[in-house]
Amino acid sequence: AAKGAGRGGVQVFDEAASRRALDRLELRSDLAHAVARDELVVHYQPLVDLLDGAVLGFEALVRWLHPVRGLVPPDQFIPVAEETGLIADIGTWVLDEACRQLAEWQAEHPGRALRMSVNVSAAQLHDPTAAARYLQGITAAGVQPRDVWLEVTEHSSVRSEVSVFAHEMHRSGVRFALDDFGTAYSNLGDLTRLPVEALKIDRLFVSRLTADRAERGLVQAVLAVARSLDLQVVAEGVETQEQREELLALGCRQAQGYLFSRPVPAEAAAELLRTGTGMDLVTGR
Ligand code: C2E
Ligand code: MG
Ligand code: MG
Ligand code: MG
């Protein structure tokens, strides 16, 4: 595009641009083999009770252990996977893996209510075969559909074809959470038409919670809406004790965030389940 705009700097720009394009191409072709080569890994971030830090379940977050690039975060390859259609295979793999892991942890901790959340992107939800594949994975793992939560974003969930998928899954008992709540355009009316049972308050609001009164009001409003619609609320990205106390004061009990734990490999997550997060507000500080 910058062609003919002059020499010097343009060449540098072109080089950088073509390197990026090449990079992306390479990423694409590598990603095509990632599932088959067993390069994807799931890390788990605990969902906790804000009051005592008790682990209520986990969110499965995929990473790509690239042979040369190292651990690639999802934001860098999920968009590529969506563009290329590879998201179908990756999504199925993540769900199967997460359900298998949930079954293992439930067996190790009988009688303890544990749930697993898995992110699904709009591209996955537009796939008419997705519901059957997902339900098969859940059945194969031997977990209860009601212990499996699918996290969708407002943007993807308001689309009508998504809600067909959502209703089919919901009929089978799988639950839905609206992820990153508050970041995109949202019509509160859609909430009542979707089988959503939880709202995840975006990290952005949580991060401003203790500094900004307007932000506090927003979180308060979300909690009020959630209460009146009988929805659960999960605060994302809780990093400080102040945020934790503020959320508790506002009546929010469930959260995730670095204050409790970063997403960690399965073995470390299993350890958290055995020992707890060590974040009891009453005794542990
Ligand atoms: P998300 O579902 O909103 O996940 C929360 C993100 O916030 C995660 O980033 C998590 O590591 C990060 N996070 C959690 N607590 C904190 C905190 O206290 N502070 C900060 N600064 N960050 C925190 P991650 O793992 O890089 O994932 C990014 C996004 O990639 C996810 O956002 C989700 O939209 C997507 N993603 C991850 N795994 C999958 C997957 O298997 N399938 C699909 N379709 N998307 C996925
Ligand atoms: Mg999520
Ligand atoms: Mg989120
Ligand atoms: Mg997100």
Side-chain angles (χ1 to χ4, degrees), residues 64-225:
W64 178 12
L65 194 54
H66 189 280
V68 178
R69 297 165 195 259
L71 208 62
V72 183
D75 289 338
Q76 279 177 37
F77 69 89
I78 291 290
V80 177
E82 287 170 350
E83 281 165 29
T84 53
L86 290 167
I87 192 68
D89 280 355
I90 293 174
T92 303
W93 182 84
V94 171
L95 186 96
D96 289 354
E97 179 71 12
C99 288
R100 198 193 49 71
Q101 193 56 255
L102 177 64
E104 197 180 304
W105 289 336
Q106 284 180 336
E108 278 171 28
H109 302 272
R112 192 163 158 189
L114 288 175
R115 64 168 90 157
M116 183 64 73
S117 280
V118 176
N119 294 283
V120 291
S121 48
Q124 288 167 267
L125 303 182
H126 297 156
D127 176 353
T129 66
R133 265 186 293 115
Y134 278 17
L135 290 170
Q136 208 229 311
I138 291 165
T139 307
V143 296
Q144 297 293 324
R146 66 163 184 273
D147 295 332
V148 178
W149 289 72
L150 298 182
E151 299 191 358
V152 298
T153 57
E154 295 170 71
H155 181 68
S156 59
S157 60
V158 295
R159 311 271 293 267
S160 59
E161 59 271 50
V162 168
S163 103
V164 169
F165 169 93
H167 284 288
E168 195 174 329
M169 296 297 284
H170 187 67
R171 259 203 312 278
S172 310
V174 172
R175 310 214 231 182
F176 282 82
L178 216 45
D179 208 348
D180 307 340
F181 189 74
T183 52
Y185 166 78
S186 62
N187 179 347
L188 285 181
D190 288 318
L191 279 180
T192 61
R193 285 191 288 275
L194 289 163
V196 164
E197 290 176 65
L199 299 179
K200 298 191 76 174
I201 301 179
D202 194 74
R203 170 155 68 83
L204 198 67
F205 297 108
V206 174
S207 69
R208 296 179 187 155
L209 197 56
T210 48
D212 192 323
R213 281 187 56 198
E215 223 68 46
R216 194 173 187 275
L218 268 176
V219 173
Q220 231 161 351
V222 169
L223 288 166
V225 167

